[in-house]
Amino acid sequence: GGGGGGSGGSGDGGRDGAAAAHRPYAFAPRRRGPLFGGSPPPDTAMDAPHSYTPLRVEQQQASAAELSADRQHRRHVRSASDVEAALNPPPKDALAAGRATFVSFLKRHTCYDMMPLSGKIVIFDTELLVKKAFFALVQHGIRAAPLWDSYQQQYVGMITISDFIWMLRHQYKSALMPVEALEDHKIQEWRDIASEKLPSTLLSIEPLATLYDAVRMLLDQKIHRLPVISASSGNALNIVTHKRLLMFLFLNMPCFKAEARMPFLQMTVEELQLGTRSNIATISPETSLITAFNIFTERRVSALPILDKHNVVVDIYAKYDAIMLARDRTYHNLDVAVQEALRHRQDFDVVQTCRLTDSLQEIIERIVSKSVHRLVIVDEQNFLLGIVSLSDILHCLIREESFCRTSTA
């Protein structure tokens, strides 16, 4: 359950009996013949028992040797061509084969497999004050939390940074009128105000559902977080996100470690038409916070590249940056410029970018190693060309057709 009354509760998340559970993190390809270095099947002409007459032994042996040499030659040619075809298939075959590999892996593993052996999940009661909820998100370094209704005795939704932005937009008038509602209102009061925009039920998934089901639900429903809730116990065990899914794939799929790289993963951003390449929402350093929040909501995007007067990418403002306003309680003046607000940002590296010539594998490795949610596509002069998000990558890994999206996720 969640915390009661006016406090947020946090419970240990993880598997039932996790200490005794085996979690397969390393996988090895099954060896099948010469392609993976296994021994070729025995030559039946040579290994089968023979019944020769004495006068024809020499002739029989010569014929068998010739047959064996011929088969060995054909086997060598076939094996070499198989290896070459596997490593250098035609583009369409590489696309289909690569996606089939990822789909197969996702269908063989469950949400339970992706759960950490030890961890926690933070849960808020709907009677918690809004300002305490968002301050708790900052303190725990998380972007969302399930909501528990003590009266209904069930989970009723999620609270996210998007909700924080929506509340600020709804309440903010000007810098001269403080956002008092965030100081006094409870989560449930805000849920009543926003009831028309909230989903009627909480989308969740069972621990033993496949990761493929989880990915499809995230993409089809256009959501970024999916709680894992046990139907038998009613406990929230984990939250599936795009980032955690991509990390799980990267750490556990052999194709990311193999010396012979998967052709699909070597295809470039340009070849795959990966990411948003047109109608990109951007802002300038002088754009006000309230304007940026309006763009977030109206364009349904989660990050805005910041361009200087020469249209060069100089920074990026993401929804997560908005939560810092709750930490510093600086949300009373949203007319301040974005560049001023970003001066309070902590632990931030330079904007993570990529090129159209970068491979899918390079994109995934960069996102995982830098622990970011998107890469900005730029050219040699740092002019903006597009954005690759986590949902773009998951779409690319499992969908049959190539696509070019028109809005970032």
Side-chain angles (χ1 to χ4, degrees):
S7 62
S10 64
D12 287 338
R15 311 174 180 186
D16 300 328
H22 171 66
R23 184 173 178 216
Y25 269 113
F27 301 91
R30 195 187 319 181
R31 296 183 179 276
R32 294 183 181 177
L35 184 59
F36 293 105
S39 301
D43 191 327
T44 54
M46 294 296 294
D47 296 342
H50 303 284
S51 55
Y52 304 132
T53 59
L55 295 178
R56 301 187 60 188
V57 169
E58 184 176 350
Q59 181 181 356
Q60 291 274 3
Q61 288 177 342
S63 300
E66 292 172 0
L67 180 61
S68 176
D70 179 66
R71 287 186 175 179
Q72 290 289 352
H73 172 72
R74 283 185 292 163
R75 180 185 295 125
H76 172 75
V77 173
R78 185 171 62 248
S79 301
S81 61
D82 287 346
V83 171
E84 183 177 359
L87 296 180
N88 301 288
K92 289 186 178 180
D93 291 344
L95 203 63
R99 285 174 171 157
T101 300
F102 280 92
V103 168
S104 175
F105 182 89
L106 290 168
K107 288 183 176 181
R108 293 199 312 270
H109 295 85
T110 67
C111 297
Y112 180 86
D113 295 329
M114 202 177 74
M115 289 169 57
L117 295 178
S118 178
K120 69 178 179 181
I121 180 169
V122 179
I123 300 167
F124 296 148
D125 194 282
T126 54
E127 293 299 305
L128 181 67
L129 290 176
V130 168
K131 67 174 182 179
K132 290 186 177 180
F134 289 113
F135 186 77
L137 290 181
V138 176
Q139 291 297 100
H140 289 278
I142 56 178
R143 299 166 183 259
L147 294 176
W148 174 262
D149 190 315
S150 298
Y151 298 103
Q152 300 183 45
Q153 287 294 296
Q154 65 179 8
Y155 295 101
V156 293
M158 299 277 290
I159 189 167
T160 69
I161 298 173
S162 297
D163 296 316
F164 180 63
I165 292 175
W166 185 88
M167 293 175 191
L168 289 176
R169 291 182 67 241
H170 184 271
Q171 185 69 19
Y172 188 73
K173 304 302 180 184
S174 73
L176 301 177
M177 300 178 64
V179 187
E180 295 178 351
L182 283 182
E183 304 289 336
D184 306 322
H185 285 198
K186 298 176 181 179
I187 294 175
Q188 187 57 53
E189 293 174 319
W190 276 107
R191 286 180 59 81
D192 294 338
I193 295 173
S195 57
E196 293 184 359
K197 84 175 195 68
L198 296 175
S200 56
T201 58
L202 173 64
L203 292 174
S204 63
I205 195 166
E206 281 278 342
L208 295 183
T210 68
L211 290 179
Y212 180 77
D213 293 334
V215 172
R216 289 303 301 264
M217 189 175 296
L218 286 168
L219 297 179
D220 293 342
Q221 299 297 327
K222 294 181 172 60
I223 56 178
H224 295 147
R225 295 158 193 88
L226 185 62
V228 179
I229 299 178
S230 171
S232 58
S233 66
N235 291 332
L237 306 175
N238 195 28
I239 298 178
V240 177
T241 65
H242 299 91
K243 188 176 181 180
R244 293 175 183 175
L245 278 164
L246 198 61
M247 176 74 75
F248 184 81
L249 294 174
F250 180 77
L251 293 178
N252 293 283
M253 289 193 69
C255 60
F256 287 105
K257 306 174 181 65
E259 293 182 2
R261 301 298 181 92
M262 178 187 287
F264 170 53
L265 290 177
Q266 305 316 306
M267 297 180 71
T268 66
V269 172
E270 181 66 36
E271 291 172 333
L272 293 169
Q273 286 293 290
L274 184 63
T276 302
R277 306 281 290 281
S278 62
N279 196 24
I280 304 168
T282 64
I283 57 177
S284 70
E286 294 77 25
T287 302
S288 67
L289 286 178
I290 189 62
T291 301
F293 291 171
N294 291 335
I295 298 174
F296 280 142
T297 304
E298 294 164 4
R299 296 289 299 272
R300 296 179 60 86
V301 295
S302 60
L304 298 168
I306 302 176
L307 308 183
D308 66 10
K309 61 182 179 181
H310 304 294
N311 290 326
V312 172
V313 178
V314 294
D315 208 332
I316 191 166
Y317 189 74
K319 279 185 176 180
Y320 185 71
D321 292 314
I323 201 67
M324 297 302 124
L325 301 175
R327 181 196 64 188
D328 303 328
R329 293 189 61 186
T330 55
Y331 43 74
H332 294 298
N333 182 11
L334 300 183
D335 292 324
V336 67
V338 168
Q339 63 179 354
E340 179 65 26
L342 288 178
R343 292 178 182 175
H344 303 286
R345 184 162 54 185
Q346 299 176 348
D347 302 326
F348 182 74
D349 201 355
V350 296
V351 181
Q352 298 301 320
T353 62
C354 65
R355 302 287 178 85
L356 293 175
T357 54
D358 288 345
S359 69
L360 178 58
Q361 177 149 347
E362 290 173 326
I363 296 295
I364 295 175
E365 288 176 349
R366 194 167 307 156
I367 282 182
V368 170
S369 63
K370 297 297 183 180
S371 190
V372 294
H373 288 76
R374 64 197 62 80
L375 296 177
V376 179
I377 308 173
V378 297
D379 61 12
E380 291 78 5
Q381 286 77 39
N382 256 20
F383 289 133
L384 178 67
L385 299 179
I387 295 181
V388 176
S389 69
L390 294 173
S391 56
D392 291 329
I393 295 175
L394 289 178
H395 264 289
C396 182
L397 293 180
I398 71 169
R399 292 298 168 95
E400 294 180 357
E401 71 281 355
S402 61
F403 63 95
C404 183
R405 296 164 54 116
T406 57
S407 63
T408 58

